Amino acid sequence: MKKFLLGTVALIALGTTANAADLAARYTKAPVVAPVSNWTGFYAFGGFGYGLMESDQHSTTGGIVSSLDTRMGGRGYFGTVGLGYDYQLTPAWVVGVFGDAQWGDIRGSLIDLNNGVTARLKNDATYSAGARLGYLVAPNVLSYVNAGYSYGQFKGTTFDDGVSTMGKSHRDGWFIGGGVENDLNFFGINAPGWFMKTEYRVTEYNRKDSPYTSGPFVGDGIAFKPYVQTVSTSLVYRFNSHVTSGASVSSPLYTKAARSSAYNWTGFYLAGGGGYGMFSADQHSVAGGINGIDTRSGGRGYFGTVAGGYDWQINPTWVVGIFGDAQFGDISGSLADAAGGVTGRLKNDTNYAAGARLGYLIAPNALSYVNAGYSHADFKSVAFSDGTSIGKSHRDGWFIGGGVENDLNLLGISAPGWFMKTEYRVAEYNRKTSAIYDAAGLTGDGIAFKPYVQTVQTSLVYRFNWGSPLVAKY
């Protein structure tokens, strides 16, 4: 998993880049203003984000494992603040160190299958310290990867029997991520020293046993190992910033050349790639038409993806398009019923989506976009630990996301017509009740669940008419 995540986040960073040399297609170099950029110095930031949590859990008795592993989930929002220091090694490369904190409400569930109780698990605080390596895709735009140590705090909780409690717990772990930071001289906004960064991060914590602190189950506990995947956006203030955008100086780094050499994004494309995702499913058992207590199950895993679409460049900087795609893989987790003491494997094996996207050309060969649309998810049948089961189920829903697509004329790679895109997406599906079967047939009971799926993927894209002349009238 760690090797895959390292590769995925590296691709995220590369996917956000547009080679400054490619600007020659639409820009020609003018005399460089000194200094073009200086990223060396201290900075502070603050912002907010959204995250999903997946927690591998099992009950223990006297510290000894005594039940099957179950994957529970969680989701929620948080705020973040931090400090850091960057050092610009060369005109293109930046290294730095930083520390940050997150406070919020990423809320999920704990489940004790031995004793038939459940409780809320809340990740309310996270503290991290790490390093980052960045590449300046333009004097005012930094694409980076980061990694380091993380400390997670999980609040104490009271179980649904009203008397059993667990105290606050802590976990040590590691994180890896990537993102983009740019100054706010963007879309006509000019705020010297102020920047904006958007970052993806996944954190894996160690497994520890949390014992009961009161109630009839003292001496027992629940061991859990959390994974937390987040996306955040922050405002950054750089104290000694001399980062210069070409649009904000009297002698710009780039001047406009002939329009006829611009790229043409209008046309069909095909794409294929892979990614990593997590899901959190709000669930409850249904017995005799009566709903049980809500809990949140979870899962994680990998998938492959294929896609096709059509884009239309409506003017020199804006692109609109429609697309359809499919994901095939193994995002696997659990459905669990504490009252019945049963658990089973829940697998999201296929997803199909159709939607539209709106993109802004941050360079002639690089498109930053948002997208949204309809999504359909398939979940395989589930065999529970007591011999009962539910059949294959389907969910309809919606998704929203965004990403960056750029041609492969990047860091010395040249492949006309070939592109790379990296995309974040979150999908919310409807709640349905799946009937439970035993050896004799329908039992009259069921489990209702409502999934949320958060994915990051990287794909190769082939554009069929790339390089054709522009025909739109601007």
Side-chain angles (χ1 to χ4, degrees):
M1 175 180 172
K2 294 181 181 179
K3 290 182 180 179
F4 177 84
L5 291 173
L6 284 166
T8 298
V9 177
L11 288 174
I12 290 170
L14 291 177
T16 61
T17 61
N19 192 345
D22 292 328
L23 293 171
R26 192 160 158 193
Y27 301 96
T28 57
K29 287 188 177 181
V32 174
V33 179
V36 173
S37 64
N38 175 21
W39 286 76
T40 298
F42 290 95
Y43 62 89
F45 62 89
F48 62 93
Y50 178 76
L52 258 66
M53 172 174 62
E54 187 273 337
S55 176
D56 293 353
Q57 304 178 10
H58 57 246
S59 305
T60 64
T61 300
I64 300 173
V65 175
S66 55
S67 74
L68 298 172
D69 260 337
T70 303
R71 286 184 173 174
M72 303 304 289
R75 57 189 172 86
Y77 303 94
F78 61 88
T80 182
V81 296
L83 295 168
Y85 181 85
D86 284 332
Y87 179 71
Q88 187 166 353
L89 290 171
T90 71
W93 293 96
V94 175
V95 295
V97 294
F98 65 92
D100 59 37
Q102 297 176 357
W103 296 283
D105 187 12
I106 300 179
R107 186 183 304 180
S109 297
L110 284 173
I111 190 167
D112 184 344
L113 296 178
N114 284 354
N115 297 305
V117 292
T118 185
R120 185 177 76 177
L121 175 65
K122 180 179 176 181
N123 177 207
D124 61 340
T126 300
Y127 305 95
S128 302
R132 69 176 182 174
L133 173 65
Y135 178 78
L136 286 169
V137 299
N140 60 323
V141 181
L142 181 71
S143 177
Y144 65 88
V145 293
N146 58 13
Y149 165 80
S150 188
Y151 173 87
Q153 178 175 288
F154 298 83
K155 287 196 73 173
T157 189
T158 300
F159 285 79
D160 58 1
D161 64 357
V163 294
S164 301
T165 62
M166 280 184 181
K168 180 184 292 187
S169 65
H170 311 275
R171 298 290 188 279
D172 296 308
W174 59 270
F175 73 87
I176 187 168
V180 177
E181 182 177 337
N182 58 270
D183 72 353
L184 285 181
N185 192 347
F186 190 57
F187 289 140
I189 300 172
N190 191 350
W194 287 97
F195 288 68
M196 179 177 69
K197 70 171 181 174
T198 298
E199 180 176 308
Y200 166 84
R201 188 181 293 183
V202 62
T203 306
E204 176 181 339
Y205 294 105
N206 62 350
R207 184 192 296 271
K208 289 172 62 178
D209 184 38
S210 292
Y212 286 95
T213 52
S214 67
F217 311 126
V218 171
D220 296 349
I222 298 177
F224 64 94
K225 177 182 176 66
Y227 299 78
V228 181
Q229 179 176 257
T230 59
V231 172
S232 63
T233 296
S234 299
L235 281 176
V236 183
Y237 185 76
R238 307 188 73 89
F239 291 97
N240 69 332
S241 174
H242 298 294
V243 178
T244 304
S245 171
S248 65
V249 293
S250 58
S251 300
L253 179 64
Y254 301 103
T255 57
K256 288 187 177 181
R259 178 78 66 185
S260 60
S261 61
Y263 291 98
N264 178 16
W265 285 77
T266 298
F268 291 96
Y269 63 87
L270 293 175
Y276 178 76
M278 288 188 183
F279 75 74
S280 176
D282 294 352
Q283 61 166 59
H284 58 248
S285 58
V286 180
I290 300 174
N291 294 338
I293 296 174
D294 267 332
T295 57
R296 286 181 173 170
S297 63
R300 67 182 193 276
Y302 313 109
F303 60 88
T305 181
V306 294
Y310 183 85
D311 285 332
W312 183 46
Q313 187 170 353
I314 57 177
N315 64 34
T317 56
W318 292 97
V319 174
V320 295
I322 55 174
F323 66 92
D325 60 35
Q327 297 176 355
F328 309 93
D330 184 14
I331 303 179
S332 295
S334 298
L335 283 180
D337 182 0
V342 297
T343 184
R345 183 186 179 197
L346 178 65
K347 178 180 176 181
N348 176 210
D349 58 343
T350 53
N351 296 289
Y352 306 95
R357 69 176 181 174
L358 173 65
Y360 178 80
L361 287 168
I362 56 178
N365 63 323
L367 181 72
S368 176
Y369 64 88
V370 294
N371 57 16
Y374 164 81
S375 188
H376 173 89
D378 293 328
F379 293 84
K380 293 195 73 173
S381 58
V382 177
F384 290 101
S385 52
D386 65 351
T388 60
S389 65
I390 63 173
K392 186 173 185 178
S393 64
H394 313 278
R395 298 290 189 277
D396 296 308
W398 58 272
F399 73 87
I400 188 169
V404 175
E405 180 178 338
N406 57 268
D407 72 355
L408 284 181
N409 191 352
L410 179 70
L411 298 178
I413 300 171
S414 182
W418 288 95
F419 286 67
M420 179 174 68
K421 70 172 180 177
T422 298
E423 179 177 310
Y424 165 84
R425 187 182 294 183
V426 61
E428 176 182 339
Y429 296 101
N430 61 349
R431 184 192 296 270
K432 291 170 62 177
T433 300
S434 295
I436 295 178
Y437 294 79
D438 61 15
L442 280 171
T443 64
D445 298 336
I447 292 185
F449 64 95
K450 177 182 177 67
Y452 298 78
V453 182
Q454 180 175 260
T455 59
V456 174
Q457 64 184 28
T458 295
S459 299
L460 282 175
V461 182
Y462 184 75
R463 295 187 157 271
F464 289 97
N465 70 334
W466 184 253
S468 63
L470 286 169
V471 295
K473 295 181 180 180
Y474 302 127

